[in-house]
Every structure is written in structure tokens, then in C-alpha cells.
Amino acid sequence: MAVFTAVRTQDQNDYSETNARLEDLVKDIPGYLGMDHAQTPGGLGITVSYFRDADALTEWRTDAEHRAAQKLGQAEWYQSYSLHVAKVERSHGFTRAEDAQSPTAD
Amino acid sequence: MAVFTAVRTQDQNDYSETNARLEDLVKDIPGYLGMDHAQTPGGLGITVSYFRDADALTEWRTDAEHRAAQKLGQAEWYQSYSLHVAKVERSHGFTRAEDAQSPTAD
């Protein structure tokens, strides 16, 4: 997976359009599994992208449109960012049972 | 590193206090390197915790207060979450030069 943490600049011209375009593009990468994103208003944004293997991530990393967007990101949109590429060793999840907070009478 | 993505419930009693306590506690784990957090209002929160090695992460995972908080999280605070433990393979960062967006006259 790839973990991208970023603080943006004031200059967000074309950011949304490019971001939407990249979100479409990455779906065409074989082995792309999905993405999670959280954005603190006026603060840090974190995007986690999940890929089946290193090859899938390499294909995305070297995509021409993606690379052009990275250059624009450094030139305009990002104050700072860091990218960590990491191999998932274990995962687990939790989903609340629907009635967990409103138990029925018996 | 550990990547925790979570959607919270309406019931956030004691969440902030517990969270602040855990943020203090984790700093005492040898090998803890830091944390990044982003929170979309009313949406997803992502917390990335960085540890030097698997031993440091195991020590945090098995900390008694941390485990008690995890139980409260499932009982009250989280609608759903997922945790991915991953080994960082490579990283890079970018920080904008201070005058990159306001070049001087010469």
C-alpha cells in the first residue's frame, strides 16, 4: 500500500479536476484494490491506496498522467508531503452490529 | 507502521480524554517514531503510527490501557474500522522552498 500525507497550499487551481481524473485513472491499473482518504479542514490530508502487489504500484507510479500531476503538485498544490510505500503484513477490521447501540427489550 | 481507518459513532463520551491519554502513553514505547492523523468532519478518520520495528508495535498493541481502550472503541466509539500493519519499504518527502510561490524580483 501507499500512504500519502500532505499539507496543501493556498493555490488549489485545477486540483479538484486533476484529483478526480487521477481517481478515475488509477481504477484502470490491474491490481488496484481501493483507496481511503481523510482530510482535516485546513490541515493534514491522508490518502491510503491499496494495491495487490509491487508491480501494480509501480505501474501507477510510472503512469504518465500521474507523473505530470506529481510535478504540478510540487509546483503548486502541496506545501509538503510524504509518501510511504509499505507491504501489508496483517490486517483486521471491525464493523458494528446494527443494533449494538440500541438493544431490543429481550 | 500501523494504518488505522475509522468511522465513529454518535456516542463519543470520553473519547477525547482516552485519545489524549493514549497519545501520551504511546510516547513511552521505545521505538515509537510519531503519528499522523487526518479527520474528515462527519466522515473517515485515518491515523498512521510509525514504529521503528515490529517489537515496538507489539509492545504498543499489548499495552493494557491500550487494550482496554480498544474494547471501549468497539463497544461505543467506532461504527467500523480497519487496521493494516505494514513494513515500510521506501519513503520520500517533499517540502516547498519558502519562496517557491512568491519569487523575488531578481
Side-chain angles (χ1 to χ4, degrees):
Chain A
M1 69 176 164
V3 178
F4 182 74
T5 62
V7 175
R8 306 230 291 266
T9 61
Q10 305 273 334
D11 178 5
Q12 295 298 299
N13 265 349
D14 298 329
Y15 173 83
S16 298
E17 296 78 358
T18 304
N19 197 48
R21 168 70 180 151
L22 292 182
E23 282 188 15
D24 270 352
L25 265 185
V26 70
K27 290 175 187 156
D28 294 335
I29 303 284
Y32 170 72
L33 301 175
M35 185 181 289
D36 287 319
H37 178 71
Q39 176 69 54
T40 300
L44 196 68
I46 303 180
T47 304
V48 185
S49 314
Y50 306 92
F51 295 86
R52 192 177 49 217
D53 52 32
D55 285 350
L57 213 159
T58 298
E59 187 168 336
W60 178 233
R61 184 164 54 87
T62 54
D63 174 273
E65 275 193 67
H66 186 200
R67 291 188 80 100
Q70 288 167 23
K71 286 197 170 59
L72 277 169
Q74 291 197 354
E76 300 183 10
W77 301 321
Y78 294 115
Q79 183 60 38
S80 62
Y81 65 70
S82 66
L83 178 76
H84 295 281
V85 172
K87 186 174 173 55
V88 175
E89 296 182 326
R90 61 177 190 275
S91 303
H92 74 264
F94 163 78
T95 302
R96 174 173 301 277
E98 251 183 55
D99 58 351
Q101 287 198 309
S102 50
T104 50
D106 57 4
Chain B
M1 69 175 163
V3 178
F4 182 74
T5 62
V7 176
R8 306 230 291 266
T9 61
Q10 306 274 333
D11 178 5
Q12 295 297 298
N13 266 348
D14 298 329
Y15 173 82
S16 298
E17 296 79 358
T18 304
N19 196 50
R21 169 70 181 151
L22 292 182
E23 282 187 15
D24 270 352
L25 265 184
V26 71
K27 289 175 188 156
D28 293 336
I29 303 283
Y32 170 72
L33 301 176
M35 184 182 291
D36 286 320
H37 178 71
Q39 176 68 56
T40 300
L44 197 67
I46 303 180
T47 304
V48 184
S49 314
Y50 306 91
F51 295 86
R52 191 177 50 216
D53 52 32
D55 286 349
L57 213 160
T58 297
E59 188 169 336
W60 177 233
R61 185 165 52 85
T62 54
D63 174 273
E65 274 193 67
H66 186 200
R67 291 188 81 99
Q70 287 168 23
K71 286 197 171 58
L72 277 169
Q74 292 198 353
E76 299 182 12
W77 301 319
Y78 294 115
Q79 182 61 39
S80 62
Y81 64 71
S82 66
L83 177 75
H84 295 281
V85 172
K87 186 174 173 57
V88 175
E89 296 182 327
R90 60 178 189 275
S91 303
H92 73 265
F94 163 77
T95 301
R96 172 174 302 277
E98 251 182 56
D99 58 350
Q101 287 197 309
S102 51
T104 49
D106 56 5

